[in-house]
Amino acid sequence: MIDRAHEEVRAAPAVDNSGRLTGAGRLVVLAFGLVGVAIGFAILQRDRAEPFVLGLLGVLAVIGVFTLLAGAIGLLRFAGRSRSDHLARAVVDATDAGVVVTDRDGRIVYANGAYAAMTGAASTGDVKSVERFLSGDASGAEAIYRLARELREGRPAGEEIRLASPPPGEPAGGGGRWFRVRAHPVTLEEGGKTLTAWSVTDISRERSQQEAVFQELQHAIDYLDHAPAGFFSAEPDGRIVYMNATLAEWLGIDLARFVAGAMRLRDIVRGDAVALLEGLPGEDRRDRTETIDLDLVKRNGQSLPVRLLHRVPIAADGAPGATRTLVLNRSPGEEASEALRAAEVRFTRFFNNTPIAIAAVDRQGRIGRTNAPFLKLFGFPRGEGPGGRARLVDLVAKPEQEMLQAALNAAAAGNAEIVPIDVTLAEKEGRSVRFYVNPVENGSGDEAAIVNALDITEQRALENQVRQQQKMESVGQLAGGVAHDFNNVLTAIIGFSDLLLANHRPSDPSFQDIMNIKQNANRAAGLVRQLLAFSRRQTLRPQVLALGDVLSDLSILLTRLLGEKVKLQMVHGRDLWPIKADLNQFEQVIINLAVNGRDAMPGGGTMTVRTRNLTAAEVAAFNYHPLPPADYVLIEVEDNGTGIPADVQARIFEPFFSTKEVGKGTGLGLSTVYGIVKQTGAHIFFDSEMGKGTTFRIFVPRYVPAEGEKPVGGSSEANVEIADLTGSATILLVEDEEAVRAFAARALLSRGYKVHEASSGVEALEVMQEAGGKVDLVVSDVVMPELDGPSLLRELRKTRPELKIIFVSGYAEDAFKKNLPEGEKFNFLPKPFSLKQLAVAVKETLGR
């Protein structure tokens, strides 16, 4: 019915008003105008009308002559519609799409036969405009409104509209009709008139076909979803893009919330077995389906034993596509042979979930069957042999291949006594593996050996760290012991130098010699302090520090130390947390690192000191060990110098190790830094690259001040100078080193004090008893035979709980403080000390 009506109307345009007021229409208007003028002249009197008649005839004559001349030279053409107009209308009339042209007011200027057939028009007068035709339904009215809005703004627009009404001549109750509508504004060249060109296409059949295909697809998905086997598809990077309802039900996954690509294979595969699926297949697997037994993980954490039929399609360019994986449930009751199924499941679990990589090797050393940990450790190795199977020896570094090959040959010969082999992997720098090679007796096929591989990278790194730590501790103990003995010697040298200087005037010839002795003794004392710093046995006076203020005050000194060739940059982090450290020792750390970096830039460069807060979550980004997660304040000292050679890096913190020329360094700068940092409870690491420079990183634990506790800046409070260092108190001097005791006794006697001497703790108790307890102060060494300083203090407290005491020692205060009762009050004077330092300590302790 529709086709016949369409053919009847298509024979000629349904509506064509585009030729109105053109050609003959204009001629009729002109004729009526001339008749009107003639009637007007007839009414007038002859003598009055004659001039007008002559004038009109003259005008017409001039127009006629001009028209003839213009036509002769081609300025004017007298013709109807051009041939191209007829051709364009013929093409539009022949198209299946309905075409309508309307003016600004919505009146139809042109409509082809196809459009008339769509609207069911029986004649030209019955043709409706697009708005009237499509706005009968609510959905159509909304679409027409949107189209009109776009057209008013001069933009083309399009919509797909469904009409519930059936086609003309068909009964109601069908599926309605679909139309694709396009509208374009058109501006005519002549007159600038704006029209609208509409294209209306009936797409009902196309929509029906799409719906049919969609329904078939829904049926196919429904069949796959409710199949008795699971199914999933995953991209090469492990993203699961499809999972059927059966598998989702087995795993306890809500399929309504499943988002393609949001879940990965490792989310549903137990342990290292995911390596069996994520690996890139080789060329020999192009047309193969792999059978893999493993455990999947349910949402509740339970295991689901399954067998996978796994296939990876390969494109023409060799790139792998999304997998096609069929999942067979191997839970109890799902297979006929329960005992066989249970045995296979147990073996698969043991084989793929063991932490040891396992592989079978043939007599040529080629790798055969492997478990999941092997693939995780070595990847999917490919070789040039049959089937692309790689040789096991090709996976290790070349210097160690011969050793591994000998072990494989021994296994092939049936030798069961093969020692484990530690090797380094070839393509994974820094990874170490221990191989256990065992022969196969009466094995199937050409399998000659079973190789177990254990990753020992972390074990080796830990062994190296422990070895280095033990070495540093041993050197530290040696350095600390040497430093203690030297401090006793230096105390005597410095002390007796002070006594000599007190008895000589500056004009005496020997005065300068004595000063040189004291200066060199002080220089030696400085070296000893560095040894104590490395051994972490020096006395620290920790206080809460505002790091930004400390570095700002220190920058002036650093600028002077670095010189003109090296530029200093300070980059302070915002709102730095407080730290707790010894101010002087911390400044020494920064100075030593800066000087060390300066020496690495002989031609000049830039020294950068950065600070920032580092949260516990950010610590993991630094691959340093050991570095426990905590809140730190990070200090970076970076230079762009020559860098540290790799063969030197392991020794830079050792005392007396130096790469500088003889006489240009003691080798104690970085060892001092190491000791101070460690004694503070901080951590120090470095990164260096030859030709680019070195960066030292110090991780200082964040300190949370108590209420009312305020951090101090870089300038410490100046010590109050004591003018009068004399006194009259009675002092018990306990020192096992005779030279130190002699110097200290003379020094105190010269200041007016009464001094009792004792060479040990036991002798001190006897002297105390003889003096009848009339002793105001005890100055005692810490390390002594028979009875040491802390033990002596405990005995004295039994009879004199208020007695004041000063401990002197070449070790740090913390080294013996733990042996004293909690809350015990005492003063401490580190060795070596000068005469004045001893007098000041005594005066301050007595409080006089």
Side-chain angles (χ1 to χ4, degrees), residues 482-492 525 528-529 532 740 809-811 831-833:
V482 171
H484 174 263
D485 293 338
F486 265 100
N487 274 332
N488 284 327
V489 175
L490 291 172
T491 301
V528 171
R529 279 194 297 272
L532 286 174
V740 176
S809 176
Y811 288 121
K831 294 179 180 178
F833 51 83

Side-chain angles (χ1 to χ4, degrees), residues 31-216:
F32 276 107
L34 293 175
V35 171
V37 173
I39 294 173
F41 288 159
I43 297 173
L44 295 175
Q45 294 180 4
R46 182 174 183 180
D47 53 348
R48 294 181 61 185
E50 186 174 354
F52 294 103
V53 173
L54 294 176
L56 179 60
L57 292 176
V59 171
L60 293 176
V62 171
I63 293 174
V65 172
F66 173 77
T67 302
L68 292 175
L69 290 174
I73 64 176
L75 186 61
L76 293 177
R77 289 187 300 173
F78 303 95
R81 293 182 179 177
S82 65
R83 183 177 180 182
S84 60
D85 292 339
H86 289 293
L87 178 61
R89 283 173 171 77
V91 171
V92 173
D93 288 338
T95 184
D96 291 333
V99 178
V100 185
V101 179
T102 61
D103 61 12
R104 185 180 296 274
D105 296 327
R107 292 189 295 267
I108 298 176
V109 177
Y110 174 82
N112 68 350
Y115 177 74
M118 290 179 190
T119 60
S123 63
T124 301
D126 296 335
V127 178
K128 303 175 182 178
S129 64
V130 178
E131 292 89 339
R132 291 179 56 201
F133 172 49
L134 297 177
S135 59
D137 291 353
S139 59
E142 294 177 1
I144 290 297
Y145 171 77
R146 291 192 295 268
L147 290 170
R149 182 179 58 195
E150 294 296 318
L151 290 172
R152 282 195 299 270
E153 297 180 3
R155 295 193 297 264
E159 294 276 351
E160 289 191 359
I161 303 173
R162 180 182 180 276
L163 296 183
S165 59
E170 288 193 4
R177 289 184 294 173
W178 282 91
F179 294 96
R180 182 178 295 118
V181 182
R182 298 285 185 268
H184 300 268
V186 178
T187 302
L188 299 180
E189 295 181 359
E190 298 180 1
K193 189 175 182 180
T194 301
L195 304 176
T196 302
W198 300 80
S199 173
V200 184
T201 307
D202 191 336
I203 58 171
S204 302
R205 181 175 299 177
E206 178 183 335
R207 278 284 187 163
S208 298
Q209 292 174 349
Q210 291 177 353
E211 291 178 1
V213 171
F214 179 76
Q215 290 294 330
E216 293 175 359

Side-chain angles (χ1 to χ4, degrees), residues 28 30 136 278 383 417 490 542 592 749 753 788:
V28 172
L30 180 59
E278 288 186 338
E417 300 296 331
L490 291 172
N592 286 9
L749 288 171
Y753 296 104
D788 61 10

Side-chain angles (χ1 to χ4, degrees), residues 727-747:
S728 59
T730 302
I731 299 174
L732 173 60
L733 177 63
V734 188
E735 173 60 62
D736 62 331
E737 286 286 337
E738 185 176 354
V740 176
R741 186 174 69 251
F743 147 67
R746 288 181 57 183

Side-chain angles (χ1 to χ4, degrees), residues 324-392:
R324 278 79 164 145
T325 306
L326 191 65
V327 184
L328 303 179
N329 193 338
R330 307 194 73 193
S331 299
E334 298 291 337
E335 291 189 357
S337 179
E338 183 64 25
L340 177 61
R341 181 209 61 78
E344 290 180 348
V345 168
R346 284 196 299 271
F347 172 76
T348 300
R349 285 177 175 171
F350 294 151
F351 189 61
N352 285 322
N353 294 325
T354 178
I356 301 175
I358 304 174
V361 181
D362 64 13
R363 296 185 178 276
Q364 287 72 40
R366 295 191 299 266
I367 301 171
R369 293 180 298 170
T370 62
N371 69 343
F374 186 92
L375 299 179
K376 181 181 179 181
L377 180 59
F378 296 98
F380 282 79
R382 305 296 304 160
E384 298 178 355
R389 294 164 58 188
R391 297 170 64 244
L392 184 64

Side-chain angles (χ1 to χ4, degrees), residues 474-484 528 531-532 534-535 537 655-656:
S474 299
V475 175
Q477 290 178 0
L478 176 62
V482 171
H484 174 263
V528 171
L531 283 175
L532 286 174
F534 169 74
S535 62
R537 296 185 180 184
F656 302 113

Side-chain angles (χ1 to χ4, degrees), residues 489-547:
V489 175
L490 291 172
T491 301
I493 295 174
I494 294 173
F496 283 112
S497 297
D498 285 339
L499 291 175
L500 289 173
L501 290 172
N503 296 322
H504 288 73
R505 296 179 180 180
S507 59
D508 291 345
S510 58
F511 186 88
Q512 190 61 39
D513 295 335
I514 300 172
M515 283 295 299
N516 285 333
I517 294 173
K518 182 177 180 180
Q519 288 173 358
N520 281 279
N522 286 330
R523 181 182 175 191
L527 294 176
V528 171
R529 279 194 297 272
Q530 289 181 313
L531 283 175
L532 286 174
F534 169 74
S535 62
R536 289 173 263 174
R537 296 185 180 184
Q538 66 173 338
T539 299
L540 297 182
R541 303 296 183 189
Q543 53 187 319
V544 183
L545 302 179
L547 187 58

Side-chain angles (χ1 to χ4, degrees), residues 577-591:
W577 295 322
I579 62 172
K580 193 167 188 179
D582 185 298
L583 174 59
N584 294 327
Q585 297 298 331
F586 181 78
E587 289 178 340
Q588 189 64 49
V589 167
I590 303 301
I591 290 172

